[in-house]
Amino acid sequence: MATQKLLLLPGDGIGVEVMAEVKRLIAFLNQTGLASFETEEDLVGGAAYDAHGKAISEDAMKLADQADAVMFGAVGGPKWADVPYEARPEAGLLRLRKDLGLFANLRPAVCYPALAEASSLKRELVEGLDIMIVRELTGGVYFGEPKEIVTLENGEKRAVDTQVYTTHEIERIARVAFDLAKVRRGLVHSSEKHNVMKSGVLWKQVVTEVHKAEYADVKLEHILADNCGMQLVRTPKQFDVIVCDNLFGDMLSDVAAMLTGSLGMLPSAALGAEDAKTGKRKAMYEPVHGSAPDIAGKGLANPIATLASFGMALRYSFGLSEAADRLDAAISAVLSEGLRTKDIASAGQNAVSTGEMGAAVIKAMG
Ligand code: IPM
Ligand code: MG
């Protein structure tokens, strides 16, 4: 079996604890011969700032570029609230996305049957929920220039962020969404604000053209982003794949995440373009949740989002769908048995630690 190179970037806060469970899972896969991984580890976020004065070092960027995939934990925390804007922990994450060209962010929101009660919505609205949010990740208002705060002649300040998209950027993310819909339930909702934004007008037009030319077998609906947020909490099961820009995707994916009961459950994949020669894509996998500084270091974090992110790596980067299926089944089984970390435990239910949850998932794989 070919050895695969993985770079682990645990980051800050609970990122470190949840990544420890991924390391145990990798050791298990290597031992049992299900996979062969070689791992390296480096710093990102506040941890990198403390060590190097920047949110990610050039060495770490080089390792990320050379790796077959990157596993990312989480970044940020109150400790770094006052560091210069360019060196804030999030800058490390944004640089990885941008420099590795990871334009396609896949954020599945799946409601495990055992957890339907943990959702803030009624069981019947979320039971069996399976949505895929496809978020554009290297463009839009996150990276558009100018991006600045300037002082005007009258002494007032003026802040500018630029929302910008080109045809090519919209086409390639639309294709990712349509390709996924083809192997899912065949429905794409394209979400933008063409009623107030020029970028929304172009988005809608380009998605419509790609659909017409290449994906007539998939159903396409256009939905305004505000309505999409509303529909997600009204009747979430009407959706299959939702494709949207960077900022709307950030917001809608948090909304979708909460439908499933906990942010601690949701994985994500950030993928680059396929290399014409090797057929490989650059890729980074990370939980949707953040560094949760309030519970960091206490063994309270839920490792499932990060373990499931690693499952996405097995599937999308390494073609190990059998191992990925086994991992998904193990997570489901452990939840069905009633094991809960604190974030998904209902009142009065006993909660297990991060390590206990990780160990149980690995045991269920064996
Ligand atoms: C996410 C996060 C990031 C984003 C932050 C940490 C910069 O919220 O991955 O959704 O806004 O993209
Ligand atoms: Mg977010």
Side-chain angles (χ1 to χ4, degrees):
M1 186 178 290
T3 297
Q4 313 276 8
K5 275 203 312 201
L6 258 180
L7 174 65
L8 308 181
L9 296 173
D12 307 318
I14 62 168
V16 178
E17 293 156 72
V18 292
M19 195 64 80
E21 301 313 310
V22 170
K23 288 188 210 169
R24 290 215 269 183
L25 177 57
I26 292 171
F28 168 82
L29 294 174
N30 281 346
Q31 270 159 25
T32 51
L34 282 168
S36 171
F37 286 111
E38 207 173 80
T39 58
E40 298 208 67
E41 190 167 330
D42 214 315
L43 304 172
V44 69
Y49 179 78
D50 289 344
H52 310 294
K54 55 203 283 197
I56 188 158
S57 69
E58 298 311 312
D59 283 349
M61 282 306 301
K62 205 157 150 203
L63 287 176
D65 191 52
Q66 290 162 351
D68 293 306
V70 178
M71 282 296 305
F72 187 96
V75 289
K79 183 177 173 200
W80 303 284
D82 297 321
V83 307
Y85 186 78
E86 297 69 37
R88 73 200 189 287
E90 291 77 9
L93 174 60
L94 296 178
R95 174 153 183 220
L96 281 159
R97 289 174 179 171
K98 191 70 177 172
D99 286 11
L100 298 180
L102 308 174
F103 70 93
N105 190 199
L106 276 43
R107 298 192 160 188
V110 174
C111 183
Y112 292 90
L115 287 186
E117 285 315 325
S119 172
S120 45
L121 297 195
K122 295 190 196 88
R123 170 182 277 277
E124 61 269 26
L125 289 180
V126 294
E127 201 165 26
L129 181 80
D130 180 0
I131 299 176
M132 179 68 86
I133 297 202
V134 178
R135 168 186 179 193
E136 199 292 324
L137 202 60
T138 50
V141 78
Y142 273 63
F143 297 100
E145 295 286 347
K147 189 176 196 63
E148 61 190 8
I149 301 177
V150 290
T151 306
L152 302 176
E153 273 173 19
N154 67 2
E156 235 198 314
K157 291 198 172 168
R158 178 168 175 267
V160 188
D161 291 287
T162 304
Q163 163 80 350
V164 50
Y165 274 106
T166 58
T167 309
H168 160 75
E169 286 175 292
I170 304 169
E171 278 172 356
R172 64 182 183 176
I173 195 71
R175 288 195 183 103
V176 171
F178 288 127
D179 283 336
L180 281 165
K182 270 182 146 175
V183 293
R184 292 173 51 95
R185 296 190 302 283
L187 173 63
V188 171
H189 279 81
S190 169
S191 185
E192 34 60 22
K193 284 280 289 177
H194 69 265
N195 53 349
V196 281
M197 296 164 79
K198 285 290 181 189
S199 57
V201 172
L202 184 67
W203 185 281
K204 185 175 180 199
Q205 189 186 324
V206 173
V207 173
T208 304
E209 279 160 14
V210 171
H211 175 247
K212 200 167 154 218
E214 301 167 36
Y215 296 95
D217 48 342
V218 174
K219 192 165 167 10
L220 170 65
E221 302 270 1
H222 299 281
I223 185 166
L224 292 172
D226 52 345
N227 185 26
C228 189
M230 188 270 274
Q231 296 293 339
L232 269 173
V233 292
R234 194 177 77 102
T235 41
K237 282 192 261 182
Q238 68 181 288
F239 294 106
D240 177 16
V241 175
I242 298 173
V243 62
C244 50
D245 75 11
N246 206 341
L247 184 61
F248 292 141
D250 182 41
M251 298 178 29
L252 295 175
S253 62
D254 264 26
V255 175
M258 205 52 223
L259 300 175
T260 69
S262 165
L263 265 183
M265 303 294 300
L266 290 194
S268 78
L271 307 175
E274 215 175 80
D275 183 291
K277 274 202 209 113
T278 63
K280 282 189 173 182
R281 292 170 182 273
K282 291 241 182 295
M284 181 162 79
Y285 299 87
E286 58 169 307
V288 170
H289 66 69
S291 60
D294 51 323
I295 59 160
K298 298 182 184 160
L300 294 175
N302 185 347
I304 290 180
T306 311
L307 290 170
S309 299
F310 183 69
M312 291 185 87
L314 293 174
R315 214 179 283 286
Y316 294 108
S317 282
F318 304 120
L320 296 169
S321 47
E322 201 181 304
D325 287 345
R326 247 163 100 166
L327 175 57
D328 288 345
I331 292 171
S332 252
V334 163
L335 292 172
S336 300
E337 282 162 24
L339 228 65
R340 301 283 185 272
T341 41
K342 192 155 183 281
D343 55 314
I344 49 174
S346 34
Q349 211 174 8
N350 270 342
V352 299
S353 69
T354 312
E356 284 164 334
M357 181 60 96
V361 171
I362 293 170
K363 187 157 171 251
M365 281 190 76

